[in-house]
Amino acid sequence: MHSIGQMTEDQLAIKDAVERTCSQFDDEYWSRTDETGNWPEAFCDAMAEGGWLGVAFPEEYGGAGLGLTEAALVMQTVTRSGAGYSGASAIHLNIFGPKPLEKFGTPEQKQENLPRIISGEEKMCFAVTEPNSGLDTSSLETKAERTNSGYTINGRKIWTTGAQRADKILIIARTTPKDQCSKPYLGLSLFYTDLNPNKIERKPIPKMGRKAVECNMLYIDGLEVPKEHLIGKEGEGFKYLLQGLNPERVLFAVESIGLGFAALERAATYANERVVFGRPIGQNQGIQHPLAKSWAELKAAELLAYKAAGLYDMGQDCGAEANAAKYLGTEAGFRACENAVLTHGGMGYAKEYHVERYMREAMLARIAPVSREMILNFLAERVLGLPKSY
Protein backbone atom coordinates (compact mmCIF):
# COMPACT_ATOMS: atom_id res chain seq x y z
CA MET A 1 0.00 0.00 0.00
CA HIS A 2 1.36 3.46 -0.93
CA SER A 3 0.40 4.88 2.43
CA ILE A 4 -1.51 3.35 5.29
CA GLY A 5 -4.97 2.43 4.08
CA GLN A 6 -4.46 3.37 0.41
CA MET A 7 -4.40 0.46 -2.02
CA THR A 8 -2.36 0.29 -5.19
CA GLU A 9 -4.07 -0.62 -8.46
CA ASP A 10 -2.67 -4.14 -8.24
CA GLN A 11 -4.01 -4.55 -4.70
CA LEU A 12 -7.44 -3.30 -5.77
CA ALA A 13 -7.37 -5.85 -8.58
CA ILE A 14 -6.54 -8.61 -6.08
CA LYS A 15 -9.43 -7.57 -3.84
CA ASP A 16 -11.86 -7.50 -6.78
CA ALA A 17 -10.73 -10.89 -8.07
CA VAL A 18 -11.03 -12.54 -4.64
CA GLU A 19 -14.47 -10.95 -4.16
CA ARG A 20 -15.58 -12.46 -7.48
CA THR A 21 -14.38 -15.91 -6.42
CA CYS A 22 -16.04 -15.62 -2.99
CA SER A 23 -19.32 -14.42 -4.51
CA GLN A 24 -19.81 -17.94 -5.92
CA PHE A 25 -20.27 -19.17 -2.34
CA ASP A 26 -23.34 -17.62 -0.73
CA ASP A 27 -24.63 -17.57 2.85
CA GLU A 28 -26.48 -20.85 2.33
CA TYR A 29 -23.23 -22.55 1.26
CA TRP A 30 -21.52 -21.51 4.49
CA SER A 31 -24.58 -22.37 6.60
CA ARG A 32 -24.54 -25.88 5.12
CA THR A 33 -20.84 -26.38 5.89
CA ASP A 34 -21.52 -25.23 9.46
CA GLU A 35 -24.44 -27.66 9.80
CA THR A 36 -22.89 -30.69 8.13
CA GLY A 37 -19.25 -30.23 9.10
CA ASN A 38 -18.23 -30.97 5.51
CA TRP A 39 -14.94 -29.33 4.50
CA PRO A 40 -15.56 -26.51 1.94
CA GLU A 41 -13.75 -28.35 -0.86
CA ALA A 42 -15.40 -26.40 -3.70
CA PHE A 43 -14.31 -23.11 -2.12
CA CYS A 44 -10.73 -24.37 -1.59
CA ASP A 45 -10.59 -25.57 -5.20
CA ALA A 46 -11.79 -22.20 -6.47
CA MET A 47 -9.21 -20.31 -4.39
CA ALA A 48 -6.44 -22.67 -5.57
CA GLU A 49 -7.56 -22.22 -9.18
CA GLY A 50 -7.35 -18.46 -8.75
CA GLY A 51 -3.76 -18.84 -7.54
CA TRP A 52 -4.50 -17.36 -4.12
CA LEU A 53 -2.96 -20.19 -2.09
CA GLY A 54 0.48 -19.13 -3.33
CA VAL A 55 0.01 -15.37 -3.05
CA ALA A 56 3.05 -14.96 -0.77
CA PHE A 57 5.30 -17.62 -2.31
CA PRO A 58 7.95 -17.20 -5.03
CA GLU A 59 6.89 -17.38 -8.66
CA GLU A 60 9.42 -20.16 -9.37
CA TYR A 61 7.20 -22.52 -7.33
CA GLY A 62 3.94 -21.34 -8.89
CA GLY A 63 3.27 -18.55 -6.41
CA ALA A 64 2.53 -14.88 -7.04
CA GLY A 65 5.69 -13.58 -5.34
CA LEU A 66 3.76 -10.97 -3.34
CA GLY A 67 3.98 -9.98 0.31
CA LEU A 68 2.16 -10.23 3.61
CA THR A 69 0.16 -7.12 2.69
CA GLU A 70 -1.40 -8.88 -0.30
CA ALA A 71 -1.90 -12.11 1.67
CA ALA A 72 -3.72 -10.12 4.35
CA LEU A 73 -5.86 -8.47 1.71
CA VAL A 74 -6.88 -11.88 0.35
CA MET A 75 -7.79 -13.24 3.78
CA GLN A 76 -9.70 -10.14 4.88
CA THR A 77 -11.68 -10.26 1.64
CA VAL A 78 -12.56 -13.92 2.29
CA THR A 79 -13.99 -13.34 5.77
CA ARG A 80 -15.65 -10.08 4.69
CA SER A 81 -17.58 -12.00 2.00
CA GLY A 82 -19.50 -13.84 4.70
CA ALA A 83 -17.31 -16.93 4.50
CA GLY A 84 -15.95 -16.03 7.92
CA TYR A 85 -13.52 -18.44 9.54
CA SER A 86 -15.23 -21.41 7.85
CA GLY A 87 -13.67 -20.07 4.65
CA ALA A 88 -10.51 -18.43 5.97
CA SER A 89 -9.35 -21.34 8.13
CA ALA A 90 -9.81 -23.76 5.25
CA ILE A 91 -7.00 -22.01 3.33
CA HIS A 92 -5.20 -20.06 6.11
CA LEU A 93 -2.48 -22.68 6.56
CA ASN A 94 -1.58 -22.59 2.87
CA ILE A 95 -1.02 -18.84 2.91
CA PHE A 96 1.94 -18.69 5.32
CA GLY A 97 2.13 -22.15 6.96
CA PRO A 98 4.74 -23.55 4.53
CA LYS A 99 7.09 -20.56 5.03
CA PRO A 100 9.58 -22.56 7.16
CA LEU A 101 9.83 -24.97 4.22
CA GLU A 102 10.46 -22.11 1.79
CA LYS A 103 12.96 -20.30 4.03
CA PHE A 104 14.89 -23.20 5.54
CA GLY A 105 14.18 -26.23 3.36
CA THR A 106 16.66 -27.72 0.88
CA PRO A 107 16.16 -26.97 -2.83
CA GLU A 108 14.88 -30.55 -3.22
CA GLN A 109 12.34 -30.16 -0.39
CA LYS A 110 11.07 -26.90 -1.84
CA GLN A 111 10.83 -28.13 -5.41
CA GLU A 112 9.11 -31.34 -4.40
CA ASN A 113 6.48 -29.80 -2.11
CA LEU A 114 5.82 -26.08 -2.63
CA PRO A 115 4.30 -26.29 -6.13
CA ARG A 116 1.97 -29.07 -4.95
CA ILE A 117 0.93 -27.10 -1.84
CA ILE A 118 0.28 -23.96 -3.91
CA SER A 119 -1.80 -25.87 -6.47
CA GLY A 120 -3.86 -27.42 -3.66
CA GLU A 121 -2.80 -30.91 -4.71
CA GLU A 122 -0.81 -31.48 -1.50
CA LYS A 123 -2.76 -30.94 1.71
CA MET A 124 -0.79 -30.24 4.86
CA CYS A 125 -1.47 -29.81 8.55
CA PHE A 126 0.70 -28.15 11.18
CA ALA A 127 1.28 -29.95 14.51
CA VAL A 128 2.78 -27.75 17.23
CA THR A 129 0.51 -27.45 20.28
CA GLU A 130 0.38 -30.26 22.83
CA PRO A 131 -2.14 -31.02 25.59
CA ASN A 132 0.31 -30.64 28.48
CA SER A 133 2.39 -27.67 27.29
CA GLY A 134 -0.17 -25.26 25.76
CA LEU A 135 1.62 -22.04 24.84
CA ASP A 136 4.83 -23.16 26.59
CA THR A 137 6.39 -24.55 23.41
CA SER A 138 9.72 -25.27 25.11
CA SER A 139 7.99 -27.94 27.20
CA LEU A 140 6.84 -30.04 24.23
CA GLU A 141 6.89 -33.75 25.08
CA THR A 142 6.69 -35.26 21.58
CA LYS A 143 10.06 -36.88 20.86
CA ALA A 144 11.92 -37.58 17.63
CA GLU A 145 14.56 -40.22 18.30
CA ARG A 146 17.35 -40.85 15.82
CA THR A 147 17.45 -44.08 13.84
CA ASN A 148 19.85 -45.31 11.12
CA SER A 149 17.66 -43.85 8.37
CA GLY A 150 16.24 -40.80 10.17
CA TYR A 151 13.93 -40.44 13.15
CA THR A 152 11.02 -42.11 14.93
CA ILE A 153 8.41 -39.73 16.36
CA ASN A 154 6.17 -40.55 19.33
CA GLY A 155 3.85 -38.23 21.23
CA ARG A 156 0.60 -36.29 21.18
CA LYS A 157 -0.54 -33.07 19.52
CA ILE A 158 -3.75 -31.08 19.99
CA TRP A 159 -5.71 -28.53 17.93
CA THR A 160 -4.15 -29.74 14.67
CA THR A 161 -6.38 -28.25 11.97
CA GLY A 162 -7.22 -30.19 8.83
CA ALA A 163 -5.50 -33.44 9.81
CA GLN A 164 -8.43 -35.55 8.60
CA ARG A 165 -7.76 -34.68 4.96
CA ALA A 166 -4.01 -33.92 5.11
CA ASP A 167 -1.44 -36.11 3.40
CA LYS A 168 1.54 -34.19 4.83
CA ILE A 169 2.36 -32.96 8.31
CA LEU A 170 4.67 -30.14 9.44
CA ILE A 171 5.58 -31.20 12.97
CA ILE A 172 7.88 -29.99 15.73
CA ALA A 173 9.37 -32.50 18.16
CA ARG A 174 12.15 -32.66 20.72
CA THR A 175 15.36 -34.23 19.43
CA THR A 176 17.56 -33.32 22.42
CA PRO A 177 16.25 -33.52 26.02
CA LYS A 178 15.53 -30.11 27.51
CA ASP A 179 17.94 -30.67 30.43
CA GLN A 180 20.80 -31.20 27.95
CA CYS A 181 20.19 -27.87 26.15
CA SER A 182 21.73 -24.51 27.13
CA LYS A 183 18.34 -22.85 26.55
CA PRO A 184 14.89 -24.45 26.85
CA TYR A 185 13.92 -23.55 23.28
CA LEU A 186 16.89 -25.39 21.78
CA GLY A 187 16.75 -29.09 20.94
CA LEU A 188 13.44 -28.85 19.07
CA SER A 189 13.41 -29.92 15.41
CA LEU A 190 10.97 -29.33 12.57
CA PHE A 191 9.97 -32.02 10.07
CA TYR A 192 7.83 -32.00 6.94
CA THR A 193 6.81 -35.56 6.23
CA ASP A 194 4.05 -37.92 5.13
CA LEU A 195 1.04 -38.18 7.42
CA ASN A 196 0.88 -41.95 7.83
CA PRO A 197 -2.64 -42.73 9.14
CA ASN A 198 -1.39 -46.11 10.41
CA LYS A 199 1.00 -44.31 12.76
CA ILE A 200 -1.07 -41.21 13.57
CA GLU A 201 -4.52 -41.59 15.10
CA ARG A 202 -6.61 -38.46 14.42
CA LYS A 203 -9.59 -37.63 16.63
CA PRO A 204 -11.69 -34.53 15.81
CA ILE A 205 -12.47 -32.25 18.76
CA PRO A 206 -16.17 -31.20 18.97
CA LYS A 207 -16.12 -27.42 19.28
CA MET A 208 -18.13 -24.20 19.45
CA GLY A 209 -17.89 -23.01 15.85
CA ARG A 210 -16.25 -23.52 12.45
CA LYS A 211 -17.45 -27.13 12.38
CA ALA A 212 -16.44 -27.58 8.73
CA VAL A 213 -12.74 -27.01 9.46
CA GLU A 214 -11.97 -29.64 12.04
CA CYS A 215 -9.32 -29.57 14.77
CA ASN A 216 -7.82 -32.81 15.99
CA MET A 217 -6.11 -34.61 18.80
CA LEU A 218 -3.22 -36.60 17.32
CA TYR A 219 -1.76 -39.75 18.86
CA ILE A 220 1.58 -40.45 17.18
CA ASP A 221 2.98 -43.93 17.65
CA GLY A 222 6.20 -44.89 15.88
CA LEU A 223 6.05 -42.48 12.93
CA GLU A 224 9.15 -43.22 10.82
CA VAL A 225 10.62 -40.05 9.28
CA PRO A 226 13.52 -40.15 6.76
CA LYS A 227 16.39 -37.80 7.63
CA GLU A 228 15.68 -35.99 4.33
CA HIS A 229 12.41 -34.72 5.88
CA LEU A 230 14.16 -32.66 8.58
CA ILE A 231 13.75 -28.93 7.89
CA GLY A 232 16.99 -27.01 8.30
CA LYS A 233 19.27 -28.00 11.17
CA GLU A 234 18.43 -30.39 13.96
CA GLY A 235 17.61 -28.57 17.21
CA GLU A 236 16.72 -25.24 15.60
CA GLY A 237 13.05 -25.88 14.84
CA PHE A 238 11.74 -23.35 17.33
CA LYS A 239 13.78 -20.58 15.71
CA TYR A 240 12.20 -21.49 12.36
CA LEU A 241 8.72 -21.38 13.89
CA LEU A 242 9.33 -17.88 15.26
CA GLN A 243 9.75 -16.59 11.71
CA GLY A 244 6.07 -17.23 11.05
CA LEU A 245 4.57 -15.77 14.22
CA ASN A 246 4.23 -12.13 13.12
CA PRO A 247 2.59 -12.94 9.77
CA GLU A 248 0.19 -15.26 11.57
CA ARG A 249 -0.73 -12.47 14.03
CA VAL A 250 -1.47 -10.13 11.11
CA LEU A 251 -3.57 -12.70 9.24
CA PHE A 252 -5.70 -13.46 12.30
CA ALA A 253 -6.17 -9.72 12.84
CA VAL A 254 -7.42 -9.00 9.32
CA GLU A 255 -9.57 -12.14 9.22
CA SER A 256 -11.42 -10.99 12.34
CA ILE A 257 -11.65 -7.44 11.00
CA GLY A 258 -13.19 -8.70 7.76
CA LEU A 259 -15.70 -10.79 9.69
CA GLY A 260 -16.53 -7.79 11.89
CA PHE A 261 -17.27 -5.65 8.84
CA ALA A 262 -19.49 -8.43 7.42
CA ALA A 263 -21.43 -8.51 10.70
CA LEU A 264 -21.81 -4.72 10.75
CA GLU A 265 -23.18 -4.71 7.22
CA ARG A 266 -25.83 -7.26 8.19
CA ALA A 267 -26.67 -5.33 11.36
CA ALA A 268 -27.06 -2.00 9.53
CA THR A 269 -29.28 -3.61 6.87
CA TYR A 270 -31.51 -5.18 9.51
CA ALA A 271 -31.66 -1.98 11.60
CA ASN A 272 -32.83 -0.03 8.53
CA GLU A 273 -35.51 -2.56 7.61
CA ARG A 274 -36.86 -3.63 11.01
CA VAL A 275 -39.72 -1.35 12.09
CA VAL A 276 -40.89 -1.31 15.73
CA PHE A 277 -43.02 1.40 17.36
CA GLY A 278 -43.61 2.86 13.92
CA ARG A 279 -39.94 3.60 13.11
CA PRO A 280 -36.86 1.69 11.96
CA ILE A 281 -34.88 0.50 14.97
CA GLY A 282 -31.76 1.98 13.36
CA GLN A 283 -33.16 5.42 14.15
CA ASN A 284 -32.50 4.77 17.83
CA GLN A 285 -29.13 5.81 19.20
CA GLY A 286 -29.14 2.69 21.38
CA ILE A 287 -28.79 0.73 18.13
CA GLN A 288 -26.66 3.25 16.21
CA HIS A 289 -23.91 3.93 18.71
CA PRO A 290 -22.65 0.37 19.35
CA LEU A 291 -22.48 -0.21 15.58
CA ALA A 292 -20.73 3.10 14.94
CA LYS A 293 -18.24 2.39 17.75
CA SER A 294 -17.53 -1.04 16.26
CA TRP A 295 -16.88 0.50 12.84
CA ALA A 296 -14.36 2.94 14.38
CA GLU A 297 -12.61 0.14 16.29
CA LEU A 298 -12.40 -2.06 13.20
CA LYS A 299 -10.96 0.76 11.04
CA ALA A 300 -8.32 1.60 13.65
CA ALA A 301 -7.28 -2.05 14.01
CA GLU A 302 -7.19 -2.41 10.23
CA LEU A 303 -4.73 0.46 9.92
CA LEU A 304 -2.41 -1.11 12.49
CA ALA A 305 -2.63 -4.55 10.86
CA TYR A 306 -1.58 -3.19 7.45
CA LYS A 307 1.10 -1.05 9.09
CA ALA A 308 2.52 -4.28 10.59
CA ALA A 309 2.25 -6.06 7.21
CA GLY A 310 4.03 -3.16 5.50
CA LEU A 311 6.89 -3.28 8.01
CA TYR A 312 7.20 -7.05 7.54
CA ASP A 313 7.30 -6.70 3.76
CA MET A 314 10.11 -4.12 4.10
CA GLY A 315 12.10 -6.51 6.28
CA GLN A 316 11.66 -4.38 9.39
CA ASP A 317 10.75 -5.49 12.90
CA CYS A 318 6.98 -5.58 13.31
CA GLY A 319 6.57 -7.65 16.48
CA ALA A 320 4.88 -4.93 18.53
CA GLU A 321 2.58 -3.84 15.71
CA ALA A 322 1.65 -7.38 14.67
CA ASN A 323 0.82 -8.43 18.22
CA ALA A 324 -1.12 -5.25 18.97
CA ALA A 325 -3.04 -5.61 15.69
CA LYS A 326 -3.96 -9.21 16.56
CA TYR A 327 -5.18 -8.09 19.98
CA LEU A 328 -7.16 -5.10 18.73
CA GLY A 329 -8.45 -6.73 15.54
CA THR A 330 -9.77 -9.90 17.15
CA GLU A 331 -11.38 -8.00 20.03
CA ALA A 332 -12.99 -5.46 17.68
CA GLY A 333 -14.13 -8.25 15.35
CA PHE A 334 -15.80 -10.14 18.17
CA ARG A 335 -17.52 -7.01 19.54
CA ALA A 336 -18.84 -6.18 16.07
CA CYS A 337 -20.29 -9.69 15.75
CA GLU A 338 -21.80 -9.50 19.23
CA ASN A 339 -23.33 -6.09 18.44
CA ALA A 340 -24.74 -7.52 15.22
CA VAL A 341 -26.44 -10.33 17.15
CA LEU A 342 -27.87 -7.86 19.66
CA THR A 343 -29.07 -5.53 16.89
CA HIS A 344 -31.11 -8.40 15.46
CA GLY A 345 -32.74 -9.00 18.85
CA GLY A 346 -34.32 -12.45 19.05
CA MET A 347 -33.55 -13.10 15.38
CA GLY A 348 -29.85 -12.65 16.13
CA TYR A 349 -30.07 -15.93 18.02
CA ALA A 350 -31.60 -17.62 14.98
CA LYS A 351 -29.40 -19.25 12.34
CA GLU A 352 -31.48 -17.63 9.59
CA TYR A 353 -29.60 -14.31 9.83
CA HIS A 354 -26.08 -15.84 10.04
CA VAL A 355 -24.74 -13.43 12.66
CA GLU A 356 -24.80 -16.07 15.40
CA ARG A 357 -22.36 -18.12 13.28
CA TYR A 358 -20.15 -15.06 12.88
CA MET A 359 -20.06 -14.55 16.66
CA ARG A 360 -19.21 -18.19 17.37
CA GLU A 361 -16.40 -18.08 14.82
CA ALA A 362 -15.08 -14.70 16.03
CA MET A 363 -14.52 -16.13 19.51
CA LEU A 364 -11.91 -18.51 18.09
CA ALA A 365 -9.43 -15.79 17.11
CA ARG A 366 -9.46 -14.21 20.57
CA ILE A 367 -8.05 -17.48 21.94
CA ALA A 368 -5.91 -18.88 19.13
CA PRO A 369 -3.14 -19.03 18.11
CA VAL A 370 -2.06 -16.97 21.11
CA SER A 371 -4.15 -15.62 23.98
CA ARG A 372 -4.87 -11.96 24.63
CA GLU A 373 -2.98 -12.20 27.88
CA MET A 374 0.22 -13.50 26.25
CA ILE A 375 0.07 -10.65 23.73
CA LEU A 376 -0.20 -8.13 26.57
CA ASN A 377 2.72 -9.86 28.30
CA PHE A 378 4.78 -9.48 25.11
CA LEU A 379 3.95 -5.77 24.78
CA ALA A 380 4.63 -5.13 28.47
CA GLU A 381 8.04 -6.81 28.34
CA ARG A 382 9.31 -5.97 24.85
CA VAL A 383 7.84 -2.51 24.33
CA LEU A 384 7.48 -1.10 27.84
CA GLY A 385 10.53 -2.84 29.30
CA LEU A 386 8.66 -4.30 32.28
CA PRO A 387 9.96 -7.41 34.06
CA LYS A 388 8.78 -10.82 32.84
CA SER A 389 5.83 -12.05 34.91
CA TYR A 390 5.99 -15.80 34.25
Side-chain angles (χ1 to χ4, degrees), residues 209-223:
R210 208 195 64 182
K211 186 178 180 182
V213 181
E214 95 290 334
C215 292
N216 298 271
M217 182 82 194
L218 303 185
Y219 300 89
I220 305 158
D221 185 9
L223 179 69

Side-chain angles (χ1 to χ4, degrees), residues 118-229:
I118 289 165
S119 71
E121 182 188 347
E122 190 167 290
K123 297 167 177 64
M124 64 175 283
C125 62
F126 202 172
V128 178
T129 310
E130 294 187 5
N132 290 340
S133 57
L135 289 170
D136 180 10
T137 308
S138 70
S139 296
L140 294 181
E141 295 169 356
T142 296
K143 291 185 173 64
E145 294 177 297
R146 282 185 214 87
T147 62
N148 290 335
S149 59
Y151 301 82
T152 302
I153 298 181
N154 292 283
R156 297 183 302 163
K157 295 290 181 179
I158 196 168
W159 297 115
T160 303
T161 299
Q164 294 294 324
R165 68 197 279 279
D167 40 39
K168 294 281 187 178
I169 184 168
L170 186 60
I171 184 169
I172 191 165
R174 186 160 281 289
T175 41
T176 305
K178 195 172 172 181
D179 57 12
Q180 293 177 26
C181 298
S182 58
K183 292 180 181 172
Y185 288 108
L186 296 176
L188 295 166
S189 299
L190 197 60
F191 303 89
Y192 187 74
T193 193
D194 298 324
L195 194 158
N196 181 346
N198 299 319
K199 301 294 184 181
I200 302 178
E201 184 186 356
R202 301 158 289 172
K203 284 194 173 176
I205 301 166
K207 58 191 192 309
M208 181 188 218
R210 208 195 64 182
K211 186 178 180 182
V213 181
E214 95 290 334
C215 292
N216 298 271
M217 182 82 194
L218 303 185
Y219 300 89
I220 305 158
D221 185 9
L223 179 69
E224 300 289 340
V225 179
K227 60 179 180 294
E228 293 80 20
H229 291 182

Side-chain angles (χ1 to χ4, degrees), residues 41 44-49 53-54 61 94 111-125 165-168 192:
E41 293 287 2
C44 292
D45 290 346
M47 291 298 285
E49 205 173 301
L53 303 190
Y61 302 114
N94 289 79
Q111 197 55 59
E112 185 185 340
N113 297 292
L114 289 177
R116 290 158 54 87
I117 294 170
I118 289 165
S119 71
E121 182 188 347
E122 190 167 290
K123 297 167 177 64
M124 64 175 283
C125 62
R165 68 197 279 279
D167 40 39
K168 294 281 187 178
Y192 187 74

Side-chain angles (χ1 to χ4, degrees), residues 69-133:
T69 300
E70 288 77 19
L73 195 53
V74 169
M75 298 311 286
Q76 183 175 343
T77 305
V78 167
T79 54
R80 176 71 180 79
S81 75
Y85 275 97
S86 295
S89 296
I91 61 169
H92 175 102
L93 191 58
N94 289 79
I95 302 293
F96 255 81
K99 276 288 171 184
L101 187 60
E102 184 216 323
K103 288 195 169 185
F104 305 106
T106 63
E108 293 76 22
Q109 286 173 329
K110 290 189 273 194
Q111 197 55 59
E112 185 185 340
N113 297 292
L114 289 177
R116 290 158 54 87
I117 294 170
I118 289 165
S119 71
E121 182 188 347
E122 190 167 290
K123 297 167 177 64
M124 64 175 283
C125 62
F126 202 172
V128 178
T129 310
E130 294 187 5
N132 290 340
S133 57

